[in-house]
Amino acid sequence: MTPKTREEIFREKADNYQVCYSTTCPIREHCLHSILSHYTPDDRVYIFSVNLNNPTMQRSDCPLFRKDEPIRMPVGLSTIYYNMPSRIERAIKHHLINVYSRKRYYEYHNGTRPMTPDVEEYVRDTIKRYGWTEEPNFNDYVEEFLW
């Protein structure tokens, strides 16, 4: 299967992603919300859009800013448990299920959902908090946009 081009990915996402039509935002050139506004289908009547009247928008510290470059994210948690004692493994697993829900935990565990940087950091901190000093080895890594 051929990987999708950047343009194909943007066309797919623009249909259901919040877009930004600001012409004055200082970071619009590198923000996915702004870039995807150019890929919105012309036949759409309604569009999920950023509220430009909100005072936190259209600034260099916009809370909705999403970089237009893919980032490296880990997928799969199963290999982080290989060398752990079962008591630590169980404690970490139960903690992560309580934080992210059983469904979401297993999406991360099985690798069907990549871990965003904040999730990866939380998993690393949790492992350390439960007394495991080795660096976690995730199953794999993917490069994707942070939607």
Side-chain angles (χ1 to χ4, degrees):
M1 185 171 163
T2 316
K4 293 180 182 177
T5 66
R6 183 179 172 107
E7 181 132 336
E8 290 171 330
I9 293 169
F10 287 175
R11 287 200 190 287
E12 278 180 18
K13 285 290 186 180
D15 202 29
N16 295 311
Y17 193 68
Q18 58 184 210
V19 295
C20 181
Y21 290 102
S22 172
T23 57
T24 59
C25 179
I27 54 178
R28 72 182 178 279
E29 300 293 324
H30 297 287
C31 181
L32 285 174
H33 294 284
S34 180
I35 292 169
L36 289 183
S37 69
H38 305 292
Y39 292 90
T40 306
D42 294 336
D43 61 345
R44 294 292 304 267
V45 176
Y46 295 103
I47 297 171
F48 187 39
S49 176
V50 172
N51 179 4
L52 298 180
N53 292 325
N54 184 314
T56 63
M57 301 299 123
Q58 304 185 77
R59 299 186 340 200
S60 60
D61 62 341
C62 176
L64 294 180
F65 176 74
R66 293 292 181 267
K67 187 117 176 86
D68 65 339
E69 293 295 323
I71 60 169
R72 189 171 184 249
M73 295 184 280
V75 290
L77 285 172
S78 60
T79 56
I80 69 170
Y81 300 121
Y82 282 173
N83 296 326
M84 279 184 198
S86 60
R87 66 180 172 73
I88 294 177
E89 175 187 347
R90 278 193 310 273
I92 291 170
K93 179 180 172 183
H94 289 299
H95 179 81
L96 293 175
I97 287 172
N98 286 334
V99 170
Y100 294 111
S101 83
R102 181 172 297 279
K103 180 181 186 278
R104 180 65 48 93
Y105 169 79
Y106 279 105
E107 288 173 345
Y108 293 143
H109 180 83
N110 298 331
T112 56
R113 176 185 293 265
M115 286 174 262
T116 59
D118 57 324
V119 173
E120 178 184 7
E121 182 181 344
Y122 190 83
V123 168
R124 289 178 185 279
D125 291 346
T126 301
I127 289 170
K128 288 177 186 165
R129 199 172 335 123
Y130 280 92
W132 191 247
T133 56
E134 290 182 25
E135 192 64 25
N137 292 322
F138 297 101
N139 295 15
D140 202 3
Y141 287 85
V142 295
E143 286 208 5
E144 289 187 12
F145 292 98
L146 188 58
W147 301 104

